[in-house]
Amino acid sequence: MLKVEHLSMVYPDGTIALRDVSFEVKEGEFLGIIGLSGSGKSTLLRCINRLLEPSEGKIIWNGRDITHIDQSELRMVRREIGMVFQQFNLVKRSSVMVNVLSGRLGYTPPSWSLINRFSRADRALAVAALERVGIADKANNRADELSGGQQQRVGIARALMQQPKMILADEPVASLDPVLSHSILGYLEKLNKEDNITVLCSLHFLDLVQRYSTRVIGLRSGKLVFEGGKKDIAEISDSRFKEIYGEEAQRLGVE
Amino acid sequence: MTKGIAAPRPSLLHGILSLLVPGLGQFVVGARGRGSAIFASVVVLGGLSAWTISQKARFPDFSLSFVIFAKLVFATGLLLLFLVALRALVSRFILRDASLEAFSAYGMGILYFLALVVAGNQILATAGSAEQLAFVFGGTALFAAGSLAALWLWNVADAARIGGAGLGGHLPSLALPILLVCLLVFSLGYNITRVDLPKAITEYQDISILLPRILWPWRAAFAYDQEVVEETQLIQAPCPDGAIGPPSNEPQAGEPWISATPTCGEVGVRAITGGFEPGTLLTITGGGFVPGQTVNILWKNPIGNAFRPRGVGETEILINENGEFTSQLNIPDVVIPEATASGDQIHTLVVRQEDVEVFGWRFSDDMKLALVGMLETIMMGLMATFFGMILAFPISFLAARNLMAPIVSPLNGIVGGIVGLVAGIWLGSELAGRAAEALGGLANAPIQIFLIGAVLVIGLGYAGLTLAGRLFALMLERLGGAANDTISAILLAAMIAVPGYFLGRGFSRGVMSIVQGADIAAINEQNFAYAGAILLAVLTLLYAFRNRGGRGIPIGSIIYTTTRTILNILRSVEALIYAIIFAIWVGLGPFAGMLALTLHTVASLAKLYSEAIESIEPGPLEALNATGATRLQTIVYAVIPQILPPAISFTVYRWDINVRMSTIIGFVGGGGIGFIMLQWQRLYQWELVGIAVWLIAITVATLDYVSAEIRERTI
Ligand SMILES: Nc1ncnc2c1ncn2[C@@H]1O[C@H](COP(=O)(O)OP(=O)(O)O)[C@@H](O)[C@H]1O
Ligand SMILES: [Mg+2]
């Protein structure tokens, strides 16, 4: 469903964040992306929905090259791909409901949303999305009144509003404590299994990757250094581990 | 100076160089910046000083004042050298201890200053004759010259020191010369601003009379009731033969009355030589007045002008306990105009009783005027803030770097966009013109037509921009790579040539006509216009080809920079100055003031809003971009909620400033309380000025409080 071919990304200041990365994602997969901080995980995810413009290479979405499509076509693609962020990226002063509804903007005529009108169907969808992540009672609270875990659930509900085929999650649990991490990843897993939404999720901890991913890729300094299925993750040897994380790294787990 | 470490020997050569030309020694050693700065300071300050002191004369003689100033610098320099030498001699021969100094540098500075004060007249006398000195500000010249001389000598010492030690190590501190420059500028500024302390003290009484009236003006704010009783008796004068005059009034019971006998007589005659022959003596009686009150007698001539007769008898009469009075009066001299001189001349004797004034529990007319003016002022500030806010809001997005910088458009899109924008605006204004006709002309329905026009022009302009942009991009992309780039570049160059044409013509009219004279410039005008067009077109082509195949044109950054520049220029001119222009344009009054304030408000609010936009969290913006929202939608859902609190705060703050400004914008014709206050000030109506001051103070203070409260609550 998603094919990344020879992707490279150089920031304007000359930092090379991705070097010739190629991989493929099948429908229904939960792809974990591992790598040290600074290895290019965020850059890779943002190149996929072109929040960042890749310098070279191709991104093929459902058989179509979207690397150079124009803004209006790009919006059509983006609304099929939800995104969840480490810092949640909610509008703090807006209500939870408005934050969730804003996930629907890609489907709303721009002139309508100018005067804050969402259709009744959209509102129903938003309530359903909030119920799915278990915070329907917070709909009218301001987003910054919620705890971190709750905010990330709002973030997931917002992505759900897009009725996405795929969700890009950029370290969705890095700002949360371990118990909440499992809860959030559990929601993503549920969406992956029940709704057949493909998930690309960058994660820090190997045990989380082992627990939730069906397949994993590893990045180091912008290069793809590891690719494997669920079995391979379990069998990552110490030497393989050091290849991904560098010589000084120690295996550390939560739980 | 630290003893023990051998201090490098100062260089005589460099010292002499700097003595001749300030800064030259430093320059030669290699301290170019230092040398140039010293040279420039001495030249500029010297010239400025000579100019300033020359301003005492009605017809300043610059060369004379320059000579005097130069001589003063020389004299004060000698004085300073003498003090330096004195210090060295005392240290060496009296203290006899090389490690001791007779007095510190500060001490020497104080001595120098005292010497200038004490021996000021003697030093001045060396610079010119008393007659010559009368043409310059002596005191200022003395202290400016003293500072400059010290600066000059410091510069010599500095050059010698640097010349000896070389550039290695750090250069000596500049604290002393900077202090000297400040002193010099201060002594000039003291003169230029005409500081006159004695005046501030001796002429205090001028204001001490007025001040109470301004500070406590409330008597003028209220109306007073006064009952006036006027009784009249008709008198004929002159009295032709056989005339009997009007009838004498009869006494009335229970109400005021007067009568006089005779009722026919001759007017007084005032000779040119100054003698006066009074007219016929009248006996006046009356009754029914308030006992104990004073009544006034007035005389009204045949054409109805009343005056108080002088020198012909009592005109202020005390009423007795029965409410009656008797008095006598000669008919005064009354000049009867030629035009009315024919026929019987009937005058009126008036007895007028004025009751005491009674506080009326109403505002006086002046106070009402002041209140209306104040209301006008507040509304002016309010409207200016309102319109300013509405206009500034959309502009602020164009002036926000974080929103504009990412906007990059391919060349073909820009070409189409410009064409579409121009076409859309043209179509919009055409349609607006039709609409205006249909509605019966601008004067008939101005607000509707303005709104319709704005919607049409902006809407069609925007539609043209997006539609044509996309259309062009599609068409040209079909042609493929090189053809697309070339055609786009040529089209863009052709379009940019149009402003180039006008810029060239403007250069010819604005610059060449000043340099060459309007006639010659007019001949070459077309050439300049074409040159401008070609120049910009070529530059555009070069730019387009260099960026070929790249990310496109950073159109967002271009718009951002242009907007910011315009806003900065607009903001650097005060609203008061705009008001002068608008008062000419739309006439004196609050409308001119409002327009002026609005213009300034747009510029400053747009800047403040855009800074608020630049400081928003980027996360939500990114998140909404990722959902496939359009730019407009991300602004509505991610930007506006974040900037609302600071924007409200800024707006209220600006409202505060605008009301403050609108109180004085009337001084230049902008209407409101300031306009009224200026009239009163010119009529020396100090109570009324005081009322205006009070109203302004009360309003501004209240607003200050309210706006602070609102701002506190929104953040
Ligand atoms: N806006 C940017 N400008 C320049 N360099 C950046 C920028 N963002 C990230 N980088 C660099 O790109 C590399 C990859 O960063 P990132 O994708 O954020 O890694 P990760 O998400 O794995 O921590 C790092 O070296 C980082 O310093
Ligand atoms: Mg990251």
Side-chain angles (χ1 to χ4, degrees):
Chain A
M1 124 178 278
L2 176 74
K3 227 194 268 173
V4 171
E5 293 178 358
H6 306 291
L7 195 69
S8 292
M9 166 74 199
V10 185
Y11 279 104
D13 66 357
T15 314
I16 304 173
L18 292 175
R19 303 163 204 254
D20 194 18
V21 173
S22 302
F23 63 95
E24 196 171 337
V25 187
K26 299 239 160 52
E27 193 167 343
E29 272 186 319
F30 193 122
L31 181 77
I33 302 172
I34 54 174
L36 282 175
S37 127
S39 58
K41 304 183 295 293
S42 303
T43 308
L44 174 61
L45 288 172
R46 281 170 174 72
C47 280
I48 290 171
N49 63 359
R50 276 185 52 201
L51 286 175
L52 292 173
E53 296 290 344
S55 317
E56 257 166 67
K58 276 187 189 161
I59 296 146
I60 305 202
W61 170 247
N62 285 331
R64 173 166 174 230
D65 182 358
I66 60 165
T67 330
H68 295 291
I69 55 175
D70 72 15
Q71 287 293 319
S72 54
E73 285 174 294
L74 181 59
R75 279 201 296 277
M76 297 299 152
V77 172
R78 277 179 180 170
R79 67 186 198 182
E80 296 176 344
I81 303 174
M83 194 155 187
V84 177
F85 303 84
Q86 177 182 352
Q87 302 297 341
F88 325 132
N89 287 0
L90 303 181
V91 180
K92 294 205 174 76
R93 296 182 52 88
S94 296
S95 70
V96 166
M97 192 65 184
V98 168
N99 267 294
V100 174
L101 280 169
S102 65
R104 198 67 190 160
L105 287 171
Y107 295 87
T108 321
S111 44
W112 271 36
S113 49
L114 259 188
I115 43 173
N116 215 348
R117 285 297 292 264
F118 287 96
S119 69
R120 199 165 296 161
D122 287 348
R123 285 175 182 279
L125 203 60
V127 173
L130 281 173
E131 267 164 8
R132 258 195 106 177
V133 293
I135 45 168
D137 54 325
K138 301 282 187 202
N140 294 319
N141 287 51
R142 258 172 61 156
D144 55 2
E145 293 167 358
L146 270 56
S147 69
Q150 289 171 326
Q151 291 196 28
Q152 191 59 296
R153 288 195 261 169
V154 176
I156 293 174
R158 178 173 62 191
L160 259 184
M161 287 298 284
Q162 295 173 237
Q163 298 178 313
K165 299 201 171 74
M166 178 168 83
I167 288 181
L168 306 172
D170 185 13
E171 304 199 33
V173 295
S175 320
L176 303 175
D177 49 42
V179 181
L180 283 174
S181 299
H182 280 293
S183 144
I184 294 296
L185 287 173
Y187 283 115
L188 285 178
E189 188 179 37
K190 227 162 88 183
L191 297 179
N192 175 247
K193 298 233 163 88
E194 292 174 5
D195 300 30
N196 198 31
I197 297 174
T198 312
V199 176
L200 263 69
C201 182
S202 64
L203 286 170
H204 242 69
F205 291 112
L206 215 50
D207 57 318
L208 289 178
V209 181
Q210 274 167 0
R211 163 80 180 71
Y212 293 100
S213 313
T214 55
R215 213 158 64 80
V216 69
I217 58 174
L219 287 178
R220 185 176 169 191
S221 313
K223 274 212 216 67
L224 194 74
V225 291
F226 178 84
E227 190 165 6
K230 205 164 176 80
K231 254 191 275 141
D232 302 312
I233 310 169
E235 288 160 9
I236 289 181
S237 62
D238 276 0
S239 62
R240 203 82 176 91
F241 177 83
K242 291 216 155 126
E243 256 175 55
I244 304 171
Y245 284 109
E247 284 304 319
E248 282 93 77
Q250 291 285 323
R251 255 191 160 154
L252 254 184
V254 206
E255 275 176 313
Chain B
M1 209 170 282
T2 343
K3 310 289 162 186
I5 302 168
R9 279 175 61 86
S11 155
L12 191 62
L13 169 70
H14 293 102
I16 291 176
L17 284 180
S18 274
L19 181 65
L20 296 178
V21 180
L24 184 61
Q26 288 88 338
F27 197 85
V28 168
V29 182
R32 300 260 154 94
R34 196 182 181 96
S36 318
I38 291 172
F39 181 74
S41 309
V42 170
V43 169
V44 169
L45 292 173
L48 189 64
S49 304
W51 180 81
T52 304
I53 62 170
S54 75
Q55 297 303 306
K56 186 180 180 190
R58 222 182 121 127
F59 303 104
D61 180 350
F62 184 74
S63 55
L64 172 67
S65 82
F66 187 80
V67 170
I68 293 177
F69 186 71
K71 284 182 183 168
L72 279 177
V73 172
F74 187 69
T76 49
L78 281 184
L79 174 68
L80 186 54
L81 271 182
F82 169 71
L83 287 175
V84 173
L86 191 68
R87 174 164 85 150
L89 290 176
V90 170
S91 303
R92 176 172 282 183
F93 295 109
I94 300 183
L95 297 177
R96 295 187 186 193
D97 181 345
S99 66
L100 283 180
E101 276 176 342
F103 33 82
S104 68
Y106 291 104
M108 207 169 65
I110 292 170
L111 272 186
Y112 182 49
F113 181 78
L114 284 180
L116 286 183
V117 171
V118 173
N121 286 335
Q122 284 78 353
I123 298 172
L124 275 174
T126 65
S129 65
E131 202 176 90
Q132 288 173 326
L133 287 174
F135 284 102
V136 299
F137 289 112
T140 306
L142 188 66
F143 284 101
S147 312
L148 196 71
L151 185 64
W152 202 307
L153 289 181
W154 167 84
N155 136 72
V156 173
D158 184 63
R161 211 167 353 165
I162 297 181
L167 275 182
H170 59 259
L171 296 174
S173 147
L174 286 174
L176 181 65
I178 289 174
L179 183 73
L180 289 171
V181 168
C182 288
L183 268 178
L184 203 162
V185 171
F186 174 78
S187 58
L188 296 185
Y190 192 88
N191 188 298
I192 291 173
T193 55
R194 309 257 186 277
V195 175
D196 193 345
L197 287 178
K199 219 172 188 169
I201 295 163
T202 56
E203 299 188 8
Y204 166 72
Q205 69 226 34
D206 283 10
I207 187 70
S208 70
I209 302 165
L210 292 181
L211 216 48
R213 296 168 65 189
I214 295 177
L215 290 182
W216 199 253
W218 297 111
R219 198 175 192 289
F222 296 95
Y224 290 82
D225 291 324
Q226 190 181 43
E227 205 167 312
V228 177
V229 177
E230 275 191 1
E231 290 305 318
T232 57
Q233 167 70 59
L234 300 181
I235 308 280
Q236 184 176 359
C239 196
D241 287 343
I244 50 165
S248 238
N249 294 336
E250 295 298 320
Q252 309 269 315
E255 50 184 275
W257 60 273
I258 65 158
S259 81
T261 49
T263 59
C264 191
E266 298 303 322
V267 295
V269 178
R270 194 175 293 274
I272 299 170
T273 53
F276 179 58
E277 191 186 314
T280 311
L281 185 70
L282 306 178
T283 302
I284 311 166
T285 52
F289 292 94
V290 180
Q293 277 238 340
T294 305
V295 295
N296 290 303
I297 292 183
L298 299 174
W299 194 273
K300 221 183 241 181
N301 71 12
I303 54 171
N305 291 335
F307 60 95
R308 178 184 288 248
R310 281 174 212 282
V312 288
E314 277 297 316
T315 56
E316 281 183 15
I317 297 156
L318 193 67
I319 307 293
N320 69 16
E321 61 271 23
N322 300 324
E324 293 161 351
F325 75 92
T326 308
S327 178
Q328 292 199 312
L329 186 84
N330 293 100
I331 297 180
D333 61 316
V334 182
V335 180
I336 293 161
E338 290 288 336
T340 57
S342 63
D344 290 348
Q345 298 299 315
I346 307 295
H347 306 247
T348 314
L349 178 71
V350 181
V351 172
R352 181 183 167 105
Q353 175 189 286
E354 294 175 354
D355 281 350
V356 259
E357 293 185 338
V358 180
F359 188 72
W361 296 107
R362 288 177 280 116
F363 285 135
S364 63
D365 289 344
D366 291 323
M367 178 67 176
K368 285 182 196 155
L369 195 62
L371 285 174
V372 170
M374 201 61 233
L375 193 67
E376 222 172 78
T377 298
I378 297 173
M379 286 303 161
M380 208 179 350
L382 196 66
M383 295 295 277
T385 315
F386 180 71
F387 286 128
M389 176 181 78
I390 289 180
L391 292 171
F393 198 69
I395 294 173
S396 65
F397 289 91
L398 302 181
R401 184 190 284 276
N402 56 341
L403 295 186
M404 297 305 284
I407 300 180
V408 172
S409 174
L411 202 52
N412 51 31
I414 289 178
V415 173
I418 295 178
V419 172
L421 181 68
V422 173
I425 289 175
W426 176 80
L427 191 66
S429 47
E430 281 294 301
L431 287 179
R434 295 280 156 76
E437 258 169 47
L439 286 171
L442 194 58
N444 197 31
I447 295 178
Q448 290 92 317
I449 292 174
F450 256 94
L451 285 180
I452 291 173
V455 169
L456 280 175
V457 170
I458 296 174
L460 288 178
Y462 182 73
L465 179 77
T466 47
L467 285 182
R470 207 169 298 165
L471 202 70
F472 257 66
L474 272 181
M475 277 177 5
L476 286 171
E477 248 139 50
R478 211 155 269 175
L479 295 176
N484 173 8
D485 284 341
T486 316
I487 294 178
S488 307
I490 291 175
L491 284 178
L492 187 68
M495 281 189 305
I496 299 290
V498 176
Y501 179 88
F502 288 107
L503 275 179
R505 204 176 70 176
F507 180 78
S508 168
R509 288 186 185 175
V511 179
M512 294 316 287
S513 73
I514 294 173
V515 178
Q516 299 184 321
D519 295 337
I520 298 176
I523 299 170
N524 290 324
E525 188 177 291
Q526 283 302 317
N527 297 340
F528 274 100
Y530 289 131
I534 291 168
L535 188 70
L536 278 202
V538 169
L539 285 180
T540 311
L541 275 181
L542 282 179
Y543 178 77
F545 277 112
R546 242 193 29 198
N547 280 6
R548 194 171 25 150
R551 276 281 150 80
I553 309 261
I555 187 76
S557 299
I558 295 175
I559 295 175
Y560 162 82
T561 313
T562 317
T563 315
R564 273 283 164 116
T565 310
I566 294 174
L567 289 180
N568 285 344
I569 293 172
L570 281 181
R571 220 154 24 89
S572 57
V573 178
E574 269 300 330
L576 217 54
I577 294 162
Y578 289 132
I580 296 174
I581 296 164
F582 281 115
I584 300 168
W585 186 349
V586 299
L588 301 180
F591 185 44
M594 195 204 85
L595 287 178
L597 284 174
T598 305
L599 190 57
H600 200 258
T601 304
V602 170
S604 31
L605 275 186
K607 169 124 191 297
L608 291 175
Y609 290 165
S610 63
E611 271 160 15
I613 295 173
E614 284 176 356
S615 62
I616 62 168
E617 277 183 62
L621 208 64
E622 185 183 37
L624 289 202
N625 261 331
T627 67
T630 63
R631 193 165 280 131
L632 205 60
Q633 289 171 326
T634 53
I635 286 175
V636 173
Y637 284 91
V639 180
I640 293 182
Q642 292 196 60
I643 63 162
L644 220 47
I648 291 173
S649 168
F650 290 144
T651 311
V652 173
Y653 175 61
R654 189 67 215 177
W655 176 44
D656 193 338
I657 293 180
N658 276 347
V659 172
R660 234 174 257 255
M661 281 298 294
S662 65
T663 57
I664 54 166
I665 210 153
F667 287 2
V668 293
I673 188 91
F675 191 60
I676 300 170
M677 185 170 152
L678 189 70
Q679 316 290 317
W680 284 336
Q681 186 252 320
R682 292 203 171 135
L683 296 171
Y684 303 115
Q685 305 232 14
W686 298 112
E687 271 102 357
L688 300 182
V689 170
I691 287 177
V693 172
W694 267 92
L695 287 182
I696 290 173
I698 292 171
T699 311
V700 170
T702 313
L703 208 72
D704 227 26
Y705 175 76
V706 172
S707 85
E709 280 293 300
I710 297 179
R711 276 184 285 150
E712 202 150 288
R713 264 159 223 209
T714 50
I715 296 178

